[in-house]
């Protein structure tokens, strides 16, 4: 019987060490991998032939830490992602408000800290374009919000309002809220923002999914799945419109304790291509707003200690208890840790779980890993904890050079994004984007992982000793993330029997100069042999 689908006329990078030139697919699974003479006899009158055009066929990329529903929701609201600077952001807000005069709140996000002096946009700038309605705009990194005076007044936030334990209100010299709310302080206004409807969340999911497929991503771990987002995934799965494979990381509410575990257990499971078997714990903030948890204090602009060590959102001893209980219940635990203290606290929690429960197959991982103390690098391999890296951030750019390095100091700045050291000590690597924090394009991430230079930039390499070779970086974006997502027996490589979750590139990444990796583009993306990009499906 003739096969359904054949890919030919290019290089097939299987991620198994084997190279081929053609692949056959039947009923959504790979049935043959080899040379064109091997595969050609499998074609029949009804076989679809995909001509690779001299490009490359790879396993579909998998993102181990991403927020596509949140990103998609921003895309259909007041989206600042392409604004470029403070003036551009204000133009977008003004135009959006004028186009939506009946909305009670102007909500959206996507602004970057490096667009604003000190990384903190002001309420008065927003007041000038939207004076009469509350505005709530989430930072690109998700760790703060920009609000106007109307929003602050509605929330009752003034000079006498204290900072919450897990956040900070940016203030003017007289103590008046300045307009930027960091971490937990964002909830002071956020609790008033109208919740997105189920329809909006579903539209956001579909928008985010389209963008990921356009980047060649066929599977991902959504790193923040609350009950409403979970319902959106389940609705899409049951309707057959969820085309990506999704591991949902159920959100751990940091103001609660172990009493929430039965609720998480009740939500475990899934439908179709969605499965929830992970719990996501955010242990600290980010370095740019000085909330990432550090073993030593941040510096001020003059290089002196501030006494601020950042924030551990969960007491380290309680973190050990929770991780041990979650591990015993069979959950994978996914920890956000940016600062070296948070990384150490997460590793200590996994070490205790391993001591109490014994080694298991839950495949725990720590994401971001901006600052890792050298003493802790070997512990990843020793504890079997995967390093979930976001390579695109490991480059010189304004947020790094102006808002981070001066406040870390030379020694600690040299501990950032130690991908090479993690790999050399045997750590398993997975890769992701944290989109909408940064681009979801894996090819851009590969570019930085290999070059330690941002795409399109001609700057000094950022800690070049921490570069990865292309094979290692590509494995992290395919098989490594598939393993974290518990999908490695079915996806992540091009092998007979696995799903035909595949991406077609216009060039072979192994044959282009390393400094041009980001120029490689996605031509088509397939899930189970069905084309999901470009649309309409063919």
């Amino acid at each position: 019987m003739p096969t359904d689908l054949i890919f030919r006329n290019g290089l097939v990078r299987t991620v198994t060490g084997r190279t081929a030139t053609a692949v056959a697919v039947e009923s959504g699974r790979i049935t043959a991998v080899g040379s064109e003479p091997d595969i050609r006899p499998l074609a029949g009158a009804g076989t679809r032939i995909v001509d690779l055009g001299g490009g490359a066929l790879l396993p579909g990329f998998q993102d181990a830490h991403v927020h596509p529903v949140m990103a998609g929701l921003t895309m259909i609201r007041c989206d600042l992602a392409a604004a470029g600077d403070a003036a551009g952001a204000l133009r977008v807000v003004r135009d959006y408000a004028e186009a939506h005069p009946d909305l009670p709140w102007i909500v959206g996000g996507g602004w970057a800290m490096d667009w604003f002096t000190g990384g903190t946009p002001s309420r008065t700038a927003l007041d000038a374009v939207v004076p009469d309605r509350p505005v709530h705009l989430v930072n690109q990194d998700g760790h703060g919000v920009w609000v106007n005076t109307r929003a602050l007044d509605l929330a009752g936030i003034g000079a006498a309002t204290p900072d919450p334990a897990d956040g900070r209100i940016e203030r003017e010299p007289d103590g008046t809220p300045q307009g930027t709310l960091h971490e937990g302080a964002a909830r002071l206004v956020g609790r008033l923002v109208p919740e997105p409807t189920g329809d909006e969340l579903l539209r956001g999911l579909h928008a985010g999914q389209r963008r990921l497929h356009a980047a060649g991503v066929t599977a991902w771990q959504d790193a923040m799945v609350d009950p409403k987002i979970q319902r959106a995934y389940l609705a899409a799965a049951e309707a057959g419109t969820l085309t990506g494979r999704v591991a949902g990381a159920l959100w751990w509410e940091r103001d609660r304790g172990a009493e929430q575990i039965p609720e998480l257990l009740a939500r475990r499971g899934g439908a179709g291509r969605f499965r929830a078997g992970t719990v996501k714990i955010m242990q600290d903030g980010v370095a740019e707003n000085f909330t990432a948890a550090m073993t030593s204090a941040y510096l001020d602009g003059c290089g002196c200690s501030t006494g601020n060590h950042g924030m551990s959102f969960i007491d380290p001893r309680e973190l050990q208890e929770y991780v041990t209980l979650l591990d015993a219940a069979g959950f994978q635990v996914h920890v956000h840790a940016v600062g070296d203290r948070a990384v150490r606290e997460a590793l200590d929690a996994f070490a205790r779980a391993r001591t109490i429960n014994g080694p298991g197959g839950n495949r725990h991982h720590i994401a971001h890993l901006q600052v890792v103390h050298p003493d802790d690098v070997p512990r990843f391999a020793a504890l079997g904890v995967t390093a979930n890296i976001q390579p695109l951030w490991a480059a010189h750019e304004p947020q790094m050079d102006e808002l981070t390095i001066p406040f870390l100091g030379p020694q600690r700045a040299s501990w950032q994004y130690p991908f090479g050291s993690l790999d050399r000590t045997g750590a398993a690597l997975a890769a992701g984007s944290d989109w909408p924090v940064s681009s979801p394009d894996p090819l851009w991430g590969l570019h930085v992982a290999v070059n330690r230079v941002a795409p399109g930039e001609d700057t000094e390499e950022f800690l070049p000793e921490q570069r990865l070779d292309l094979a290692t970086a590509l494995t992290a974006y395919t098989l490594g993330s598939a393993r974290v997502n518990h999908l490695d027996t079915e996806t992540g490589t091009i092998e007979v029997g696995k799903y035909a979750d595949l991406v077609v590139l216009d060039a072979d990444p192994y044959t282009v100069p390393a400094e041009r990796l980001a120029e490689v583009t996605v031509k088509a993306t397939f899930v189970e042999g069905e084309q999901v990009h470009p649309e309409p499906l063919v």
Side-chain angles (χ1 to χ4, degrees), residues 2 24 28 64-65 73 101 117-118 176 184 210 218 234 239 249 268 310 374 376 397-398 427 480:
H65 183 111
L73 198 58
T117 302
T176 301
R210 285 192 296 273
T218 56
L234 290 171
R268 184 160 59 180
D376 291 318
E397 40 79 34

Side-chain angles (χ1 to χ4, degrees), residues 366-384:
I366 305 175
H368 306 326
L369 306 171
Q370 179 168 352
V371 180
V372 184
H373 194 288
D375 291 349
D376 291 318
V377 169
R379 298 181 67 197
F380 284 81
L383 293 170

Side-chain angles (χ1 to χ4, degrees), residues 168-352:
R168 187 176 77 251
I169 301 169
E170 201 71 34
R171 299 178 188 271
E172 295 170 1
D174 65 355
T176 301
Q178 175 262 6
T180 303
L181 306 174
H182 302 288
E183 302 296 345
R187 292 197 297 271
L188 299 175
V189 171
R191 61 186 172 81
L192 302 179
V193 176
E195 292 281 351
T197 65
D199 178 66
E200 284 180 306
L201 288 169
L202 198 57
R203 288 169 54 213
L205 166 57
H206 288 143
Q209 177 174 254
R210 285 192 296 273
R211 179 66 183 91
L212 288 176
H213 287 334
V217 176
T218 56
W220 58 87
Q221 184 159 143
D222 189 316
M224 187 178 177
V225 176
D226 64 17
K228 293 183 290 294
I229 290 176
Q230 186 170 8
R231 285 195 290 271
Y233 273 119
L234 290 171
E238 290 163 0
T241 60
L242 182 63
T243 47
R245 301 186 196 283
V246 183
L250 305 178
W251 184 249
W252 180 270
E253 296 179 18
R254 62 181 182 247
D255 56 352
R256 300 177 64 198
E259 73 278 3
Q260 64 190 291
I261 293 178
E263 300 165 22
L264 296 169
L265 285 166
R267 293 171 55 199
R268 184 160 59 180
R273 294 188 174 114
F274 175 79
R275 177 189 55 81
T278 301
V279 173
K280 162 72 178 302
I281 297 176
M282 182 173 286
Q283 184 57 10
D284 69 343
V286 292
E288 298 80 42
N289 68 10
F290 316 123
T291 58
M294 301 290 181
T295 56
S296 57
Y298 289 94
L299 307 181
D300 62 16
C302 298
C304 300
S305 174
T306 63
N308 173 24
H309 289 70
M311 298 179 177
S312 294
F313 291 145
I314 299 174
D315 178 272
R317 290 166 297 183
E318 293 178 352
L319 180 67
Q320 292 183 25
E321 174 194 350
Y322 303 153
V323 168
T324 300
L325 290 171
L326 290 167
D327 177 68
F331 279 113
Q332 176 187 79
V333 180
H334 176 167
V335 178
H336 163 119
V338 170
D340 63 331
R341 189 177 84 237
V343 173
R344 181 170 292 173
E345 289 166 352
L347 290 168
D348 289 347
F350 289 129
R352 184 173 185 272

Side-chain angles (χ1 to χ4, degrees), residues 360-442:
N362 294 332
R363 304 182 182 182
H364 305 307
H365 50 125
I366 305 175
H368 306 326
L369 306 171
Q370 179 168 352
V371 180
V372 184
H373 194 288
D375 291 349
D376 291 318
V377 169
R379 298 181 67 197
F380 284 81
L383 293 170
V385 174
T386 296
N388 185 337
I389 63 174
Q390 284 62 63
L392 192 58
W393 304 344
H396 285 291
E397 40 79 34
Q399 187 159 295
M400 173 64 73
D401 294 341
E402 298 168 14
L403 299 178
T404 304
I405 290 176
F407 305 99
L408 293 180
Q411 182 185 59
R412 191 166 41 186
S414 73
W415 297 346
Q416 294 188 89
Y417 303 117
F419 307 153
S421 294
L422 287 161
D423 180 54
R424 287 187 288 272
T425 55
L429 302 181
S433 65
D434 205 11
W435 181 56
V437 176
S438 53
S439 168
D441 192 338

Side-chain angles (χ1 to χ4, degrees), residues 494-520:
I494 297 178
E495 296 181 84
V496 171
K498 287 195 171 183
Y499 283 122
D501 293 0
L502 305 166
V503 59
V504 179
L505 304 179
D506 69 344
D508 177 19
Y510 285 87
T511 61
V512 302
E515 64 273 15
R516 299 185 64 182
L517 271 172
E519 298 175 23
V520 177

